[in-house]
Amino acid sequence: MDILAIGEILIDLTQTGTDENGIPQFAANPGGAPANLAVAAAKLGAQTAFIGKVGADGFGSYLTSVLKQNGVDTSHVAVDPEDPTTIAVVSVDASGERSFSFYRKANADVKLTAGDIPDSALQRARFVHFGSVSLTADPSRSATLDAVRRARAMGKVITYDPNYRANLWPDAAAAVAQMKAPLKLVDILKVSDEELPLLTGTTDYETGTALLAEQGIRLIFVTLGPDGVFYRMGSRTGRVSGVPCSVGDTNGAGDTFFGAALSKLCKEDLDALTPEKLEAILAFANKAASLTTSRHGAIPAMPTLAEVEG
């Protein structure tokens, strides 16, 4: 197994437009950042697995089937018999930018436990990935951090996306504290240009990523939307330009970018990785993210390897 992603899987009720009376129309798209990443990487040639928790309902069955259809191993997806599958309502403005409303305080993804993440699953993977949405509440917070510590002790490469959603946290201070907590466990980090100052106190890419590198993080990516990505690899930094597109919506673009990058990096010797090789991988990831952005939804919009390489 190349990549094991741990965390939330949910229904994105994504706005697709309005009817003739101006009433918003929504589609029930599969989503959740770690699940999105697992699918993106699988569609681009990596062997991936996902561990998360869904409800014993139609949405839960649907989400599990979507993962399977996209080549993701679901053998450790847990089913909560009491709590429903999580839902996020994703509204989209005229420029394609998103706003989120979450319905998850007593929902399945938050109920993930350490027992749902066996050592055998961690041992099979080379990379173990997680995001900060899993850290918003227990038991999923403790379960995720426990799994990351176990995986690191096994010598696995830890990848992390501190995906900030303000309305999932009681306040910004609590979010920053929890998002920072795992940084010393991480090998590869992706942040957006909006999340960088939350973790570092600066908007300067050079300074901010240098501060993060002091935590022991080997590769750091700062995504810049249509402007591509800034990267740090040790003392070496650089930028790789984005790929212009006509925006459908931006939902899942960051997950596609990181999934695409990890689909290549998981097959590399990270100790021997050159800046030239890394920049080629990031150009590949930027193109994958651009293709996703040009379409609607997250998982349904993700490209195949043939599309990215074409």
Side-chain angles (χ1 to χ4, degrees), residues 12 24 34 54 60 65 72 88 108 129 131 190-191 209 215 221 231 235 257 261-262 267 271 295 300:
D12 278 336
V54 298
S65 70
V72 179
H129 173 77
K190 180 197 81 70
V191 297
T209 57
Q215 305 280 331
F221 308 136
Y231 72 86
S235 61
F257 167 85
L262 295 182
K267 297 171 183 177
D271 292 328
R295 305 166 182 171

Side-chain angles (χ1 to χ4, degrees), residues 22-23 47 128 136 268 291:
I23 297 172
Q47 289 185 303
V128 173
T136 54
E268 296 287 332
L291 287 166

Side-chain angles (χ1 to χ4, degrees), residues 133-165:
V133 170
S134 300
L135 309 181
T136 54
D138 274 324
S140 65
R141 176 192 298 153
S142 297
T144 301
L145 293 175
D146 174 74
V148 169
R149 292 188 187 100
R150 283 186 281 142
R152 188 170 179 85
M154 296 173 188
K156 307 304 179 182
V157 174
I158 306 300
T159 73
Y160 176 42
D161 180 3
N163 192 17
Y164 180 59
R165 297 283 179 261

Side-chain angles (χ1 to χ4, degrees), residues 98 249-258 285 288-290 292-293 297-298:
R98 306 158 295 160
D249 73 58
T250 58
N251 197 21
D255 303 326
T256 301
F257 167 85
F258 205 16
S290 176
T292 296
T293 303

Side-chain angles (χ1 to χ4, degrees), residues 43-112:
K43 293 186 75 169
L44 297 171
Q47 289 185 303
T48 72
F50 174 78
I51 295 180
K53 185 167 276 188
V54 298
D57 49 36
F59 279 153
S61 298
Y62 167 65
L63 290 171
T64 304
S65 70
V66 167
L67 292 178
K68 289 179 179 177
Q69 289 163 11
N70 284 282
V72 179
D73 184 325
T74 62
S75 56
H76 292 291
V77 172
V79 178
D80 191 311
E82 299 177 356
D83 298 298
T85 300
T86 303
I87 294 175
V89 177
V90 186
S91 299
V92 183
D93 67 18
S95 67
E97 288 300 317
R98 306 158 295 160
S99 61
F100 291 81
S101 299
F102 289 89
Y103 299 82
R104 71 186 289 264
K105 286 188 177 179
N107 289 61
D109 83 279
V110 183
K111 302 303 177 70
L112 187 71

